[in-house]
Amino acid sequence: MAVTTAPGITSQVVMQMDVDYVMQTFARQPVVFVRGEGMTVWDVDGREYLDFLAGIAVNGLGHCPPSVVAAIRAQAGTLMHVCNLYYVPEQPALAKRLVELSGMGKAFFCNSGAEANETAIKLARKWAKQNLGQNRFEIITAEGSFHGRTLAAVTATGQPKYHQGFEPMVPGFKYVPFNDLAALAGMIGEHTCAIMLEPIQGESGVRPASREYLQGVRKLCDDRSLLLILDEIQTGLGRTGRWFGHEHYGIKPDIMTLAKTLGGGFPIGACLAADDVAEVFQPGSHAATFGGNPLACAAALAALQAIEDDRLVENAAAVGDYFRAKLEHLKSQRDDVVEVRGIGLMLAIDLSRKDAAHIGVRCLEKGLIVNSVGDSIIRFLPPLIVRREHVDTAIRIVSKALAESAAI
Ligand SMILES: *Cc1c(COP(=O)(O)O)cnc(C)c1O
C-alpha cells in the first residue's frame, strides 16, 4: 500500500532536518518510518519492514493495535488531563488491574521507565529512613545493568560509559558483578537499604539472572531486612512468556517498575510496591504532573486487556520457545554464532565476529528490524503478537546477512 506523506518529504529532507534541529544524542539508522500495522512498519519510500525490535519492547501488541487506538481516540475526545489534584476513574482502574496481575500492593504512575525507577529509588530511601534508620540509603545494583538516563537512574545503571561527563553522580549507589551472590553479600554494609536488579539484563545484551542467584538475592534481602527492587521495564508484561520476569524464579520483589509495553505504544510508567512499603509515600512525598493521566491510563487498560484477550503471554512463551530453537539450530549450522541467550521473546545471539552493527544494517536493508548491542550481540524483541512464520522469515534474513557478510 502506498504511503502518502506531505509533498517534498523525503528521507534526505528528514535526516538533514534532524541534524540541523535535533540534539544528536542518537546514532540513527538511515531510515524514516511513517506508518505501522501489526508486525510491519513502512518507510517514507513505501518499503516494508518486519519489526523484531518493537520500538525496544514498547510495541508489545504490534503497531497501532486496534483496541488501544480506539481507546486513545475515545479518551482523547473525552478527557486527556486534569492533573493529580483530582480523581479520574482510569487511574485507580489501571492500578487495580496491575495489582491483581502482580500481587503487589499499590501503584504510582509516571511517564517513562527512568521515572519509574526514580520513584522506586526514592520510595526505597524513604522506607529505609523510616524503618531501618536515618543512615540507610545505599542501593546496590549490578554491573551491566540498565535503569534509564535521568541522573539517579543512570547512576543506578552499572555501566561507566553512561556516567562519563555527568559526574558527580548521585551518592549512595554501589555496583557488583551480576549473577555473583557472594559478591553481593560482601557489598552489603551499614548504609545499604535495597538491591536493584533486572531479572534479565536487557540493554547490555540479554543476560538472564540464574535461578539460584535471584532466589539467593531474595533470601539475602529477607535476612538483612533489605528491599528487593526489580526493574521489569523490559521483562514485564508478557515479554518473557510470563506476565512478569520474576515469575520464572519463584520469587517476588518488594518494589517493581514497569513501562515500555505498558501503554501499548503510548508513554506511561509505573512503580508498584508492597503495601507496607507503599505506605511511606504520603501526600506531597512524590508527584508527576502528567503521571496517570486519563489518556495514558486508558491506553494501558486497553493494552492489558488485549494481552489477556489475545492470550499474548502464552503466545510469547510458545513462539519464544520456537524462536529459541530456531536460533539454536542457526548456531549449530554456523561457527560464528557462539551463544543463544534469553527467555520468551527476549532473545539474543552472541557472535564470535565483531561486526554486529554491520549485520544489523544488512538485516535492515533486507527488511528486518533487529538491534545490535556492542560489537558482537544481536538482540531480538519482537511484538508479543509474533507468529512462527514471522520467526521463519527473520531467521532466513539473519542467516543470509551473516552468510553474505562473511563472504566479503
Ligand atoms: C528501557 C529501560 C529503562 C528506561 O526506560 P525509559 O522509558 O527509556 O526511561 C529502564 N530499565 C530497563 C530495564 C529498560 O529496559
Side-chain angles (χ1 to χ4, degrees):
M1 183 181 150
V3 176
T4 50
T5 46
I9 294 297
T10 64
S11 53
Q12 292 310 321
V13 168
V14 173
M15 290 190 278
Q16 189 57 50
M17 239 197 301
D18 187 274
V19 169
D20 290 344
Y21 298 109
V22 179
M23 290 195 197
Q24 295 296 295
T25 58
F26 300 100
R28 299 186 204 271
Q29 301 292 330
V31 56
V32 178
F33 290 120
V34 292
R35 192 168 71 86
E37 188 183 324
M39 291 293 300
T40 309
V41 279
W42 287 266
D43 72 13
V44 70
D45 301 316
R47 272 204 73 198
E48 190 176 311
Y49 299 79
L50 179 63
D51 189 356
F52 266 54
L53 183 55
I56 315 184
V58 167
N59 301 305
L61 299 148
H63 291 272
C64 302
S67 63
V68 176
V69 170
I72 290 172
R73 284 196 170 128
Q75 193 61 48
T78 306
L79 185 69
M80 281 196 232
H81 178 87
V82 287
C83 91
N84 284 306
L85 299 176
Y86 312 96
Y87 296 95
V88 294
E90 294 77 15
Q91 190 179 130
L94 178 59
K96 177 171 185 282
R97 204 64 208 95
L98 289 172
V99 162
E100 286 166 356
L101 287 169
S102 66
M104 303 294 288
K106 286 188 174 57
F108 175 88
F109 294 108
C110 48
N111 312 289
S112 69
E115 257 185 280
N117 284 335
E118 292 281 334
T119 306
I121 291 162
K122 288 178 71 178
L123 181 62
R125 284 190 174 191
K126 197 155 198 292
W127 176 87
K129 281 191 197 303
Q130 289 183 17
N131 289 276
L132 304 178
Q134 279 302 314
N135 62 351
R136 298 290 291 273
F137 55 84
E138 213 164 70
I139 298 176
I140 302 173
T141 72
E143 290 169 8
S145 60
F146 186 80
H147 299 297
R149 300 301 196 107
T150 57
L151 202 50
V154 83
T155 305
T157 296
Q159 299 191 59
K161 67 176 180 187
Y162 292 133
H163 297 174
Q164 264 166 32
F166 302 112
E167 301 87 351
M169 307 312 289
V170 176
F173 289 88
K174 289 251 165 80
Y175 314 98
V176 289
F178 189 53
N179 268 335
D180 183 340
L181 195 60
L184 180 59
M187 190 59 88
I188 296 170
E190 55 178 348
H191 301 305
T192 310
C193 75
I195 293 164
M196 181 170 182
L197 297 168
E198 298 152 86
I200 305 167
Q201 290 190 337
E203 193 267 352
S204 64
V206 184
R207 301 176 195 281
S210 73
R211 198 176 163 79
E212 309 72 58
Y213 180 65
L214 219 49
Q215 290 185 347
V217 175
R218 177 69 269 178
K219 186 165 185 314
L220 263 181
C221 287
D222 291 341
D223 292 349
R224 309 289 290 267
S225 300
L226 307 174
L227 295 179
L228 176 57
I229 304 170
L230 288 185
D231 177 343
E232 293 244 22
I233 289 163
Q234 194 166 142
T235 51
L237 302 167
R239 171 64 44 196
T240 68
R242 300 278 183 93
W243 271 99
F244 303 101
H246 64 259
E247 291 172 38
H248 292 280
Y249 298 87
I251 58 138
K252 267 187 65 181
D254 304 298
I255 300 175
M256 171 169 70
T257 51
L258 300 172
K260 297 222 156 98
T261 288
L262 181 55
F266 197 88
I268 179 168
C271 175
L272 307 182
D275 273 312
D276 59 336
V277 177
E279 71 182 17
V280 303
F281 269 181
Q282 294 291 314
S285 294
H286 189 53
T289 300
F290 289 118
N293 69 68
L295 190 55
C297 290
L301 279 164
L304 295 177
Q305 194 62 50
I307 293 173
E308 216 173 344
D309 290 348
D310 300 341
R311 302 185 60 80
L312 296 183
V313 181
E314 294 82 349
N315 189 66
V319 181
D321 284 349
Y322 178 80
F323 193 4
R324 210 196 141 92
K326 287 280 172 181
L327 290 171
E328 291 286 359
H329 181 67
L330 184 68
K331 174 175 168 250
S332 75
Q333 290 189 314
R334 294 196 60 87
D335 290 344
D336 52 0
V337 179
V338 290
E339 194 183 6
V340 179
R341 288 194 299 266
I343 310 177
L345 291 174
M346 189 169 173
L347 295 167
I349 50 173
D350 215 327
L351 308 174
S352 56
R353 52 204 280 173
K354 302 296 174 207
D355 62 347
H358 176 69
I359 299 298
V361 172
R362 298 304 297 259
C363 288
L364 191 69
E365 288 167 3
K366 295 175 188 305
L368 176 71
I369 302 171
V370 296
N371 175 228
S372 66
V373 182
D375 292 338
S376 67
I377 301 163
I378 304 284
R379 175 169 64 156
F380 307 96
L381 297 166
L384 311 182
I385 58 170
V386 68
R387 295 193 311 265
R388 285 173 176 78
E389 55 264 38
H390 300 126
V391 170
D392 293 342
T393 303
I395 292 282
R396 202 158 56 235
I397 293 175
V398 170
S399 170
K400 212 160 169 234
L402 284 168
E404 287 178 4
S405 306
I408 290 172

